[in-house]
Amino acid sequence: CWQRWYIFDLLESNGIEYNQVLSVDDKVRLLYMDDPTAIPPNSEGVVVGIQKTPWGEQYVVQWENGRTLDIMDDADVWIKLND
């Protein structure tokens, strides 16, 4: 999706790391989600679990709006807030 690549370019040109490896209890801000039931951009949440899949790690996030929805490196864009 072109939006995802546009966000990548914007972040890279400003020296901002994105889609970092996450651990349980890390806080994240979602920038883009490729999902029909997506969480709104700029939502924040906390990683509550990590699942291994054939495509890589999938992070289970409890979002500030009360929903729990996973993020994946190959479909979504996020930044880690607690470094």
Side-chain angles (χ1 to χ4, degrees):
C1 184
W2 71 268
Q3 295 103 329
R4 185 172 188 258
W5 296 111
Y6 177 76
I7 293 169
F8 283 163
D9 287 343
L10 210 68
L11 295 170
E12 286 175 359
S13 67
N14 287 292
I16 300 170
E17 289 187 51
Y18 59 90
N19 287 18
Q20 299 99 320
V21 173
L22 300 172
S23 300
V24 171
D25 294 328
D26 280 344
K27 190 167 183 179
V28 297
R29 176 175 294 138
L30 181 71
L31 302 178
Y32 173 81
M33 180 175 275
D34 185 16
D35 189 300
T37 62
I39 300 294
N42 290 315
S43 294
E44 294 182 6
V46 176
V47 177
V48 295
I50 301 170
Q51 300 174 345
K52 303 253 187 236
T53 73
W55 307 274
E57 291 187 332
Q58 189 168 309
Y59 301 103
V60 183
V61 179
Q62 178 68 50
W63 297 99
E64 61 189 1
N65 66 3
R67 290 181 60 197
T68 302
L69 193 60
D70 300 352
I71 52 176
M72 295 184 65
D73 187 42
D74 65 343
D76 308 311
V77 183
W78 67 86
I79 55 174
K80 184 174 163 180
L81 296 177
N82 55 328
D83 265 341

